[in-house]
């Protein structure tokens, strides 16, 4: 695509010359390739420009003045519209060209596109409709549903391969054993509860017996020193009693009477 800029090289108007210089200078600054076409020296260029400027864009006298800008045969605008696009950072859009990556206009265009169409992933819009009439989101949901069905099928096949005892655990085995023995699960549970209660009662009795034995042993240990003390006291009492019962000899009695006689004589002498 070639940008065509129609100019008047020999124009006597200073304003027209300035406008032409502004347009060409800005295009060069943006590194946009363009082709300047002089209408002052080439009658064909002047006639083509006048014929291809839209009627609604022509001035009241019907003769458009340069500079006029085209993208191939597509009309872009005159100096005023070019200046407005320049102020809005939309010159490339004005010229019908894609903005260079990383430019300010490219960023603005991307923001506007996102606001209008939503965020983009991998160069495509999230909600973009595919040829078969389904959205990408629907395809993802269908794919997830298929994966879930496959997982459920795998689980069912696994259940069939694993034996019932291993799959259900000990609980199923207990139920089967109870049914074979002619008992229901409730009866088996009651028997198990009774057995547990009997075992607990037995343990409690054993603990009580142990406590009683320990208590009796402690009592015996306490009584032993008391008995020893009582036995020792009895021995001492017997010894004392034996001494009191010992018979007095005649010599001892005579000795005692003589001493008493002497004491009486001394008392009488003292009295005299």
């Amino acid at each position: 695509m070639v940008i065509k800029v129609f100019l008047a090289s020999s124009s006597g108007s200073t304003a027209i010359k300035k406008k032409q210089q502004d347009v060409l200078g800005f295009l060069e600054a943006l590194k946009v390739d363009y082709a300047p076409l002089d209408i002052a020296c080439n009658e064909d260029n002047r006639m083509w420009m006048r014929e291809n400027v839209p009627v609604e864009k022509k001035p009241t006298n019907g003769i458009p003045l340069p500079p006029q800008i085209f993208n191939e045969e597509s009309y872009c605008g005159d100096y005023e519209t070019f200046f407005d696009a320049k102020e809005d950072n939309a010159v490339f859009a004005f010229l019908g060209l894609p903005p260079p990556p990383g430019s300010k206009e490219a960023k603005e265009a991307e923001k506007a596109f996102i606001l209008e169409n939503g965020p983009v992933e991998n160069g495509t819009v999230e909600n973009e409709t595919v040829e078969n009439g389904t959205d990408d989101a629907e395809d993802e949901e269908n794919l997830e549903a298929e994966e879930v069905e496959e997982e459920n099928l795998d689980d069912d096949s696994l259940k069939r391969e694993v034996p019932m005892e291993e799959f259900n655990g000990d609980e199923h085995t207990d139920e089967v054993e109870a049914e074979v023995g002619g008992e229901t699960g409730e009866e088996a549970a009651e028997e198990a509860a009774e057995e547990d209660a009997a075992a607990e009662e037995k343990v409690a009795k054993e603990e009580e017996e142990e406590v009683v034995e320990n208590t009796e042993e402690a009592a015996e240990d306490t009584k032993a020193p008391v008995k020893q003390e009582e036995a020792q006291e009895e021995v001492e009492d017997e010894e004392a009693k034996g001494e009191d019962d010992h018979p007095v000899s005649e010599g001892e009695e005579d000795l005692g009477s003589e001493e008493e006689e002497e004491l009486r004589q001394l008392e009488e002498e003292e009295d005299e």
Side-chain angles (χ1 to χ4, degrees):
M1 293 183 291
V2 178
I3 301 300
K4 300 177 181 179
V5 182
F6 289 88
L7 308 169
S9 59
S10 61
S11 174
S13 172
T14 305
I16 290 177
K17 288 181 180 180
K18 185 177 182 305
K19 290 177 182 179
Q20 292 176 163
Q21 291 174 356
D22 289 343
V23 171
L24 298 179
F26 198 74
L27 292 177
E28 290 175 359
L30 295 177
K31 297 180 180 180
V32 176
D33 294 332
Y34 66 93
L37 301 176
D38 191 1
I39 63 173
C41 301
N42 191 319
E43 185 65 23
D44 292 337
N45 290 338
R46 181 170 65 250
M47 294 302 295
W48 192 94
M49 182 193 75
R50 290 181 178 179
E51 290 175 359
N52 287 279
V53 172
V55 176
E56 64 273 11
K57 300 295 182 181
K58 291 180 180 180
T60 54
N61 60 6
I63 300 173
L65 299 176
Q68 298 291 332
I69 306 166
F70 288 81
N71 184 341
E72 294 292 347
E73 279 72 28
S74 299
Y75 181 72
C76 296
D78 56 7
Y79 174 78
E80 281 73 18
T81 53
F82 177 83
F83 182 80
D84 293 339
K86 176 182 173 183
E87 292 295 323
D88 296 335
N89 293 318
V91 173
F92 286 95
F94 169 81
L95 298 174
L97 299 175
S103 64
K104 189 173 182 179
E105 186 173 345
K107 293 178 181 178
E108 294 292 334
E110 185 178 355
K111 288 180 182 179
F113 183 81
I114 290 173
L115 290 174
E116 184 177 356
N117 301 305
V120 177
E121 291 184 359
N122 299 327
T124 58
V125 183
E126 284 185 351
N127 296 326
E128 183 179 358
T129 305
V130 294
E131 292 181 358
N132 58 5
T134 59
D135 296 338
D136 292 339
E138 293 179 357
D139 292 340
E140 291 179 359
E141 291 178 358
N142 294 333
L143 183 60
E144 290 177 357
E146 291 176 359
E147 291 177 354
V148 171
E149 290 178 359
E150 291 178 359
E151 291 178 357
N152 293 334
L153 291 175
D154 294 339
D155 293 340
D156 294 338
S157 61
L158 182 61
K159 290 178 182 178
R160 288 193 295 271
E161 292 175 359
V162 177
M164 185 62 70
E165 292 81 4
E166 295 181 5
F167 183 77
N168 291 331
D170 296 336
E171 182 178 357
H172 179 76
T173 305
D174 295 339
E175 291 177 359
V176 172
E177 291 178 355
E179 290 177 359
V180 171
E183 297 178 354
T184 62
E186 293 180 357
E187 292 177 354
E190 289 178 358
E191 290 182 359
E194 290 176 358
E195 290 177 359
D196 293 339
E200 290 178 358
E201 186 177 354
K202 183 178 180 181
V203 171
K205 286 182 179 180
E206 290 177 355
E207 290 178 353
E208 288 179 1
E209 291 176 357
E210 258 180 50
V211 171
V212 171
E213 289 177 0
N214 293 333
T215 305
E216 291 177 355
E217 289 177 359
E220 289 177 0
D221 293 339
T222 305
K223 290 178 180 179
V226 175
K227 289 180 179 180
Q228 290 178 358
E229 290 179 359
E230 291 177 354
Q232 188 174 359
E233 289 178 357
E234 289 177 359
V235 171
E236 291 176 355
D237 292 340
E238 288 178 359
E239 290 178 355
K241 184 177 180 182
E243 291 176 355
D244 292 339
D245 295 339
H246 188 271
V248 181
S249 62
E250 295 177 358
E252 290 176 354
E253 290 180 358
D254 294 339
L255 181 61
S257 60
E258 289 178 358
E259 290 177 355
E260 291 177 358
E261 187 65 28
E262 288 177 359
L263 288 172
R264 279 196 302 272
Q265 289 178 1
L266 288 172
E267 289 177 359
E268 289 175 359
E269 288 178 357
E270 288 177 359
D271 293 337
E272 291 176 0

